[in-house]
Amino acid sequence: MDTLSEQRCFGGVQGIYSHVSRETGTPMRFSVFAPPAAGEGTVPVLWYLSGLTCTEENFTVKAGAQRYAAEHGIMLVAPDTSPRGAGIDGEDDDYDFGTGAGFYVDATEPPWDGNYRMYSYVTRELPELVFSRFPGDRDRQGITGHSMGGHGALTIGLRNPGTYGSISAFSPICAPMQCPWGRKALGGYLGEDRDAWKVHDATELIRAGALGREILVDQGDADDFLGEQLKPELLIAVCGEMGQPVNFRMQPGYDHSYHFVATFIGDHVRFHAERLKDD
């Protein structure tokens, strides 16, 4: 692991790091904010997954989460959204597929299957590295994210309830099997067998019985992607049908930007901190 930068921030340390990933076969970057409490012992970890076109930098620079993480003694970890420079023909052609659009799945279709393994990277490889180098508590992990990363947070959290004690999302892609972004990504990475897509669709996972503790979701009603791509009404409906607790908050006047995320990130950090207390 290489340290690219470290700065003092709200009494803690905000760092950017890189390593060569065995899962993606490429160099990968990620950010870690270690709060002041990390100097005294292990602290809970909140994983943040970013959306289409983003890197680890968007959340780190724009969300303003460090202030709240320092207050609650939470470590923040934000990976990149895909491999970069894998050398696959066409990987840089579209904003919603390939570079910057890993969708937090392990691709099974060539030529993507050799490098686009973001599910395994986020759930296995990166945690191994982080917990070996930083004072995070393996037994107290939460996960959140925005847009494509909200999709990732919901699906990864629901599939791994023994790992993640809390789940939240901002403007998540709630039913990727029912929207253009999701159909393009899941079809391209996983092939045409739609049954294989279901474990990467939060609505389908809940319908199949992947239930857990209350999920917090914030969504802006002025979001340009709300109707065509995000489809929160499908998530709300299936949660009601299956008895999955969800605190869905439609926020008037807010769009899809990081101004929206920054406005409510304090609520989300507090939500995770309350559920990841060391009992």
Side-chain angles (χ1 to χ4, degrees):
M1 184 185 83
D2 295 321
T3 299
L4 303 182
S5 66
E6 287 185 333
Q7 283 91 32
R8 200 74 173 156
C9 182
F10 292 104
V13 176
Q14 176 62 66
I16 304 292
Y17 308 93
S18 69
H19 71 116
V20 176
S21 167
R22 67 171 184 268
E23 291 291 350
T24 70
T26 64
M28 295 292 291
R29 290 164 55 117
F30 63 98
S31 77
V32 175
F33 173 70
E40 303 171 4
T42 58
V43 295
V45 175
L46 178 58
W47 300 88
Y48 180 92
L49 307 182
S50 288
L52 291 168
T53 76
C54 292
T55 70
E56 79 292 335
E57 185 177 36
N58 297 73
F59 172 73
T60 304
V61 173
K62 295 180 178 181
Q66 294 92 340
R67 177 191 299 273
Y68 306 104
E71 176 185 346
H72 293 286
I74 297 281
M75 181 180 293
L76 303 173
V77 183
D80 201 349
T81 54
S82 77
R84 295 183 187 269
I88 298 172
D89 186 37
E91 68 181 331
D92 298 325
D93 289 354
D94 299 324
Y95 83 94
D96 56 355
F97 189 81
T99 301
F103 250 79
Y104 306 103
V105 305
D106 284 349
T108 57
E109 290 294 297
W112 312 99
D113 55 339
N115 305 99
Y116 279 70
R117 297 183 50 79
M118 290 301 294
Y119 179 84
S120 290
Y121 178 74
V122 167
T123 61
R124 291 202 294 267
E125 183 179 7
L126 186 56
E128 288 173 10
L129 178 60
V130 168
F131 289 119
S132 72
R133 300 297 185 96
F134 300 92
D137 188 339
R138 287 181 179 272
D139 295 326
R140 293 185 290 162
Q141 299 181 62
I143 191 164
T144 188
H146 174 235
S147 192
M148 178 185 73
H151 140 78
L154 293 175
T155 56
I156 288 172
L158 288 166
R159 290 177 66 184
N160 298 276
T163 299
Y164 305 99
S166 53
I167 306 170
S168 74
F170 298 86
S171 313
I173 303 171
C174 295
M177 293 179 68
Q178 307 300 325
C179 75
W181 280 342
R183 288 192 292 265
K184 180 175 181 176
L186 297 178
Y189 292 133
L190 304 177
E192 294 307 311
D193 180 4
R194 291 176 66 89
D195 284 340
W197 301 7
K198 291 182 179 180
V199 294
H200 299 290
D201 184 307
T203 298
E204 293 298 326
L205 281 168
I206 293 169
R207 180 172 289 114
L211 310 178
R213 300 175 67 183
E214 181 186 44
I215 298 169
L216 173 62
V217 177
D218 273 306
Q219 171 65 60
D221 72 357
D223 190 320
D224 288 341
F225 303 112
L226 180 56
E228 183 180 24
Q229 303 284 11
L230 306 181
K231 300 189 179 296
E233 69 281 0
L234 300 181
L235 180 71
I236 294 168
V238 77
C239 284
E241 292 167 11
M242 300 300 298
Q244 167 61 47
V246 60
N247 181 8
F248 180 86
R249 309 192 307 182
M250 184 66 81
Q251 303 293 358
Y254 285 91
D255 62 12
H256 201 71
S257 71
Y258 264 88
H259 299 296
F260 164 65
V261 175
T263 300
F264 299 104
I265 190 64
D267 290 350
H268 284 245
V269 173
R270 186 180 310 110
F271 171 86
H272 290 277
E274 290 172 351
R275 286 153 180 79
L276 300 176
K277 289 178 180 176
D278 186 0
D279 298 326

